[in-house]
Amino acid sequence: MKTTPEEFQALLEAPEGQNLEFKAAREKFSFDRLGEYCVALANEGGGKVLLGVTDKRPRQVVGTMAFPEPGETEAGLYAMLSHRIPVKEYFHRGTRVLIVHVPGRGLGSPWNFKGKFLKREGDSVVPMTDTDIRNIHAEEDPPDFSARACDAELDDLSQEAISAFQQGWAEKSNSTLIANLSTPQLLRDAELIIGDKITFAALILFGTREALGRYLPHCETIFEYRSSQKPGPAQERQEYREGFFLYFDKLWENVDKRNDLQSYQDRFFRHDVKTFDETSVREAVLNAVSHRDYRQEGSVFVRQYQRHVKIDSPGGFPSGITPENAIDKCKPRNRRLAESFSKAGLVERAGQGMDLMVEASVRQGKPLPDFSRSDEYSVCLTFNGTLQNPALVLFMKRLESDLSQRFTPHDFLTVHALANEQPLSEKMKDRIPALMRDGIVEHQGRGRGTRYYLSRKTYSAIGLPGTYTQRRGLDKETNKALLMRHLKDCGEMGAPMSELMQVLPSLSRNQVVSLLRSLRDDGLAFLEGERRTARWFATDSSSQDS
C-alpha cells in the first residue's frame, strides 16, 4: 500500500474517472462525504480518494489538514461501513496528502452508506438504480483475468523467468521438443500469447519490474519477518514486483532461513520436525497468486513469525468455494495461471493444494491450516507451526508403510479430529467404516449415541494404551460400581436421572439407563416414580453386600 514518487506522479496525471477522486480539502473534509465516495468507488471496482490535490488539470498539490490521525479515520470508516479501507499519508515535497485506498466490492455484494447504494455520475455521487442493484446481485465470476491480453510486449518479459518455466515444463513432460522451442512458440503453445498479444498471465509469470510497474503495479508479493506480533516495522521486508518465476524460490528461502527445528521422542531416538513445512508454504503461495483478484488493488503478503506464517491475498474465495469445501472443490479464479503452474510441475493438479497442506499438518502433529481471518475481500491463511501432538506424528509414521497410499484427505482430517476429541463432519463420518476396517477406529454404542475413537491397536502402536482407556471410557462393571456408590451415598433420598448422568458424563442417557437396568436385574437397585418424579435407590441387599 506504499505509494512511490513515480506512482504519485502518475496519479496526478491520470484522468479523473471512475476509480480516482481528487479533493483540495485544505482545512477539513466531511467524514460522511468521504464515506459516500468510498462506497461509490467500491461499487465501481475500487479506486483512490486523494485529499490535498485539486481536481482540475493540471492538478496542484495544495496539502490537507483533514483527518490528522489516519488510523482513527480507518477505524471510523470500518465502524461506519464494516469494510477495511486503508488511509495513508503521503508527503509530496513536504506537503501532506491523504490517500484513501478503496478496495473493490465483492462479487454480487454492493456496498451501502446508511442503507443507500451509491455510484459515481460525473463529479457527483448518486443512488444506484434498482436495475444496477439487481445486476450486481446476479453477478457470477468474471472471465479469467489472466487469459486477457495486455499492452505488454515480448521485450517486457524476463528471459531468465521464461527459461525457468521452459525447463520445468520440459522436465515434467520429458520432452526435448519443449526444451528447444523458441520463446514466442513456447508462449503460444502455453497459451500465454493470444494472437500477437501478451496475456496478463505471461506478465505475472515473467514480467520485469519495470513492466509490472507500468501495466499491473499492484501485482507484487511482499515478505515480512516479525519476531513478535507487536505493531512496528518488520525486522526484514522484501518486495517482489517481478515475474513469479524470478522470486518463487527466493520467497521460500526467506522463510526457511528462520525455520527452526522442533523435536519429539520415539523410543530411544529423537526426531526433528521443521516448524514450517516447505510443501505447504509453497502450495499456499501458488494458491494466493493463482486465486487472487487482480482487479483489486493490494499485494499478496507472506508474514512470518516465530511459530506462524500468515498469507493474505486480495479478493475473497471464488464463488462456490468456502473454507469448509476448499479441500474438495477447485475453482481457480485465474485458470491460465494455474495451468501454467501445472505445466511447469509446480503443482500436481492446477489450482489445488489444500489436501497436501492438510496431510502435512496431520502427519507433523500441527494444527490444521486456518482460514478464519478470511472475508469477502481477502483470503487469509495461517499456518501454526507448533508441534502439538507428537503421539499423532508417531501414529502416522507407523501407518505410512502400509496404509498411507489409501488415505484420502478426509481420512487425515478424521484421524486428526478423533485424536483431538473434535466433532466429526458428515464427510468425516463417511470415512469411519473404512477406518474401522483397517483397525484404526473403534466405536461404542448405537444410533445417535454412538461414539467413535481411535482404537486400542492405534494407541498401543504409539505407546499410549492409557489414553485409549481414557478416551473409550471405563468398562461396564466399573461404571456400574460408580453408579452404585452414588446411590448408596444418596440413601433414602434416591437420585434422579439427571444427577446420575453427571456421574458418567461421557455416556449417553440410553447408556446410563442400560447400566441402571442391569443393576436392577442384579437386585442392587430399583426405580420409584415416573418421568419427572422418578428416582433410583440402592436396595438393602446392596448395602449388606458392601
Side-chain angles (χ1 to χ4, degrees):
M1 206 61 67
K2 183 180 179 181
T3 302
T4 66
E6 294 78 15
E7 290 168 345
F8 183 74
Q9 187 61 38
L11 290 174
L12 293 182
E13 296 171 359
E16 185 176 31
Q18 289 186 333
N19 65 342
L20 288 174
E21 185 67 42
F22 298 92
K23 298 294 177 185
R26 289 179 173 86
E27 301 294 331
K28 58 184 180 179
F29 193 75
S30 165
F31 185 72
D32 279 2
R33 193 64 175 156
L34 178 62
E36 290 177 344
Y37 277 113
C38 288
V39 167
L41 284 171
N43 285 335
E44 292 165 351
K48 294 180 174 66
V49 180
L50 284 84
L51 303 182
V53 180
T54 59
D55 60 349
K56 291 184 179 180
R57 302 174 72 182
R59 297 192 179 94
Q60 302 296 317
V61 178
V62 296
T64 182
M65 297 175 63
F67 309 118
E69 295 294 337
E72 292 181 5
T73 307
E74 282 188 23
L77 287 171
Y78 184 82
M80 180 169 59
L81 303 176
S82 299
H83 299 293
R84 297 184 182 90
I85 303 173
V87 180
K88 304 296 181 183
E89 290 179 321
Y90 178 83
F91 289 89
H92 176 72
R93 299 171 184 172
T95 303
R96 178 180 182 264
V97 175
L98 209 61
I99 305 178
V100 183
H101 300 264
V102 182
R105 59 174 175 78
L107 191 70
S109 303
W111 287 21
N112 74 87
F113 177 80
K114 298 181 179 179
K116 297 183 295 184
F117 297 96
L118 304 173
K119 66 178 182 178
R120 297 277 301 285
E121 190 171 283
D123 293 333
S124 303
V125 173
V126 299
M128 301 179 78
T129 65
D130 291 342
T131 301
D132 292 331
I133 298 170
R134 280 196 302 271
N135 288 341
I136 291 176
H137 286 307
E139 284 177 345
E140 296 180 357
D141 283 323
D144 182 0
F145 174 88
S146 66
R148 288 168 47 187
C150 66
D151 294 330
E153 299 185 1
L154 203 57
D155 290 343
D156 291 314
L157 307 182
S158 161
Q159 190 57 52
E160 179 186 349
I162 294 172
S163 296
F165 169 73
Q166 186 169 19
Q167 180 181 350
W169 192 6
E171 289 178 356
K172 182 180 178 182
S173 58
N174 194 26
S175 170
T176 55
L177 177 63
I178 292 174
N180 293 316
L181 288 175
S182 66
T183 294
Q185 190 60 51
L186 176 80
L187 299 183
R188 288 192 183 93
D189 288 357
E191 299 182 277
L192 296 172
I193 290 181
I194 304 298
D196 294 326
K197 288 288 189 178
I198 303 293
T199 63
F200 276 105
L203 182 65
I204 294 164
L205 295 172
F206 315 127
T208 64
R209 181 176 181 84
E210 294 76 15
L212 282 167
R214 188 180 309 122
Y215 302 114
L216 200 62
H218 54 272
C219 175
E220 63 180 356
T221 298
I222 297 175
F223 168 82
E224 290 184 348
Y225 173 75
R226 296 174 179 271
S227 58
S228 73
Q229 300 203 36
K230 295 180 180 179
Q235 276 75 20
E236 181 176 348
R237 179 184 172 97
Q238 297 286 340
E239 298 180 3
Y240 299 106
R241 186 187 292 171
E242 57 188 355
F244 181 81
F245 277 89
L246 292 173
Y247 70 81
F248 185 44
D249 288 331
K250 297 177 188 174
L251 190 58
W252 167 248
E253 289 166 4
N254 266 332
V255 173
D256 198 39
K257 69 184 181 183
R258 297 185 181 89
N259 195 6
D260 60 357
L261 296 174
Q262 302 174 68
S263 61
Y264 63 91
Q265 189 79 29
D266 181 6
R267 298 174 185 168
F268 301 107
F269 305 98
R270 290 200 69 80
H271 299 277
D272 292 329
V273 175
K274 282 193 171 185
T275 295
F276 303 115
D277 176 68
E278 180 176 0
T279 297
S280 297
V281 173
R282 285 185 179 271
E283 287 287 343
V285 172
L286 288 166
N287 281 354
V289 171
S290 62
H291 291 306
R292 70 156 288 179
D293 189 343
Y294 287 95
R295 299 169 303 160
Q296 292 193 21
E297 293 196 358
S299 308
V300 172
F301 274 89
V302 179
R303 294 182 174 95
Q304 180 183 1
Y305 303 86
Q306 187 175 8
R307 284 287 186 267
H308 298 79
V309 167
K310 298 179 180 179
I311 300 174
D312 297 353
S313 58
F317 287 100
S319 62
I321 304 298
T322 66
E324 292 72 30
N325 68 18
I327 195 171
D328 298 307
K329 285 193 172 185
C330 172
K331 189 178 181 182
R333 182 175 272 121
N334 300 285
R335 183 170 295 278
R336 194 61 49 84
L337 278 178
E339 290 170 348
S340 298
F341 290 153
S342 182
K343 285 183 175 72
L346 296 183
V347 293
E348 291 298 321
R349 296 172 308 285
Q352 184 75 349
M354 273 302 300
D355 52 353
L356 297 176
M357 299 180 211
V358 166
E359 178 178 343
S361 296
V362 176
R363 284 187 181 280
Q364 297 175 15
K366 299 172 184 174
L368 294 175
D370 178 16
F371 285 102
S372 61
R373 294 171 51 248
S374 301
D375 56 30
E376 59 183 313
Y377 304 105
S378 64
V379 174
C380 306
L381 172 59
T382 300
F383 291 113
N384 183 338
T386 304
L387 179 61
Q388 293 187 329
N389 197 337
L392 192 58
V393 178
L394 293 171
F395 167 58
M396 297 309 300
K397 280 188 68 176
R398 303 280 196 276
L399 280 180
E400 192 167 10
S401 59
D402 57 352
L403 288 176
S404 62
Q405 295 303 313
R406 290 186 283 127
F407 255 38
T408 70
H410 287 288
D411 289 330
F412 285 106
L413 287 172
T414 304
V415 169
H416 181 273
L418 292 173
N420 291 282
E421 297 187 274
Q422 296 171 348
L424 300 180
S425 69
E426 290 304 316
K427 289 195 174 182
M428 293 180 197
K429 291 177 182 178
D430 290 343
R431 299 304 306 160
I432 289 292
L435 294 171
M436 291 180 66
R437 285 194 298 271
D438 287 331
I440 297 169
V441 172
E442 294 180 7
H443 78 285
Q444 187 179 65
R446 294 181 179 177
R448 293 184 178 180
T450 303
R451 295 174 58 244
Y452 299 101
Y453 40 85
L454 297 182
S455 66
R456 181 187 297 276
K457 182 186 85 170
T458 299
Y459 280 113
S460 296
I462 59 178
L464 295 172
T467 302
Y468 166 81
T469 301
Q470 178 188 12
R471 296 282 170 88
R472 185 182 185 278
L474 303 171
D475 62 36
K476 181 176 180 180
E477 293 305 316
T478 304
N479 285 333
K480 287 169 64 176
L482 287 173
L483 290 172
M484 279 306 307
R485 180 182 300 172
H486 187 76
L487 291 175
K488 290 176 183 179
D489 290 343
C490 292
E492 296 180 355
M493 296 293 295
M497 188 65 196
S498 59
E499 190 175 300
L500 293 169
M501 288 185 66
Q502 295 174 18
V503 177
L504 300 171
S506 65
L507 301 187
S508 68
R509 182 183 182 88
N510 288 340
Q511 289 170 328
V512 175
V513 168
S514 177
L515 292 170
L516 290 168
R517 287 173 177 169
S518 179
L519 290 172
R520 182 182 61 188
D521 295 343
D522 294 339
L524 300 176
F526 64 95
L527 176 67
E528 286 188 358
E530 295 181 358
R531 296 183 180 180
R532 294 184 180 180
T533 62
R535 302 180 82 87
W536 284 87
F537 299 85
T539 62
D540 293 338
S541 60
S542 67
S543 301
Q544 294 170 1
D545 291 341
S546 62

